Amino acid sequence: MRKFLSVLVVMLAGCVSPPQQPPAPEPAAPVPQPAAPAAGPSQAWVVAASRLEVRVFRDGAMAKFAHNHVITSTGIRGRIELREPRTATSFEFELPLDSFVIDDPAARAAAGADFSSSVKDSDREGTRRNMLGPALLDSERQPVLKLVSDGLEGGPRDYRARVRVQFRGGERTITVPVTVTEEGGRLRMRAAMKLRHADLGLKPFTAGLGAISVREDFEVACDLEARPAT
């Protein structure tokens, strides 16, 4: 978060009047500045398909008794306003938290050796309960996570997007690398990055006085396909 410091300027009045000064010259008329170029045509797109994958990793002295987890969702919905220049593009997405799937077997198999162990249904349910509970995502307070763009930089294909993440009744801003391509009447946005729990104001889950915990950093990958809005 940016922190702004306010400065209080105190003006002291002298007890003796200053000598008369000649009148100040009239200020020069401001030089007209050219208006900023208006954003060009825009086109609205809506999300037609999505896949989000989050990989979290075990930590702690007894980590061998825990699991790494793959969390997936295909529930992202929302709208993209594609503009020229492309850096004027904006988007707003919503992700219902109840769309998360914990440790889908196919997703774990595709994730590689770090996720090769099998996870019991009871462990999957426990992980889901902890993740959606008040200590982490707090889905009861706000069941839908929102992602709102706050500016794009770069291009013409690879961008850095400032994204406001709204959940738990609050908001955090992160920078997300985004690749945007358009082909065959489809718009595709892809992102892959590492985040820390602290980036979102969260504390990793721990148990047994920290003997088993979730690692501070985790991996996120998202792939969206959009079609023109009707």
Side-chain angles (χ1 to χ4, degrees):
M1 299 284 297
R2 296 179 179 174
K3 296 181 180 178
F4 297 90
L5 300 177
S6 60
V7 180
L8 176 63
V9 179
V10 180
M11 301 185 65
L12 301 176
C15 59
V16 178
S17 299
Q20 295 293 323
Q21 298 292 332
E26 292 292 330
V31 178
Q33 297 295 323
S42 66
Q43 183 179 10
W45 300 71
V46 293
V47 175
S50 68
R51 177 174 171 79
L52 173 71
E53 181 171 296
V54 181
R55 299 181 182 182
V56 297
F57 301 89
R58 59 190 178 182
D59 203 0
M62 301 181 68
K64 65 180 181 180
F65 297 106
H67 299 282
N68 298 327
H69 296 287
V70 181
I71 303 162
T72 55
S73 172
T74 57
I76 297 176
R77 57 187 182 237
R79 187 179 181 94
I80 304 164
E81 291 290 341
L82 193 66
R83 298 186 177 93
E84 292 295 341
R86 286 293 179 90
T87 50
T89 293
S90 62
F91 57 81
E92 185 168 342
F93 303 135
E94 292 186 345
L95 172 62
L97 296 179
D98 64 4
S99 70
F100 281 130
V101 177
I102 310 298
D103 289 320
D104 172 70
R108 288 186 65 83
D114 288 340
F115 302 86
S116 59
S117 62
S118 61
V119 181
K120 297 185 297 185
D121 287 346
S122 59
D123 290 339
R124 295 173 59 199
E125 287 303 315
T127 299
R128 180 182 179 85
R129 185 168 55 251
N130 292 331
M131 183 182 69
L132 298 182
L136 285 173
L137 299 183
D138 199 357
S139 63
E140 186 172 343
R141 182 194 301 185
Q142 183 177 333
V144 176
L145 182 150
K146 296 183 179 181
L147 303 167
V148 182
S149 67
D150 199 23
L152 293 177
E153 296 178 350
R157 184 175 180 271
D158 297 317
Y159 298 87
R160 294 176 304 280
R162 285 179 55 82
V163 179
R164 289 182 282 126
V165 185
Q166 301 171 353
F167 72 117
R168 290 175 54 89
E171 182 177 288
R172 289 279 174 148
T173 300
I174 60 175
T175 300
V176 180
V178 179
T179 300
V180 181
T181 56
E182 184 180 353
E183 185 177 356
R186 288 288 186 269
L187 183 71
R188 191 173 184 185
M189 296 183 68
R190 288 171 291 173
M193 63 186 301
K194 283 188 177 183
L195 284 173
R196 298 176 305 132
H197 283 75
D199 295 331
L200 300 175
L202 299 175
K203 293 183 178 180
F205 171 81
T206 62
L209 300 177
I212 295 176
S213 63
V214 172
R215 207 169 74 190
E216 170 66 20
D217 62 293
F218 57 96
E219 299 174 357
V220 181
C222 185
D223 195 341
L224 300 177
E225 186 177 290
R227 56 174 174 77
T230 56

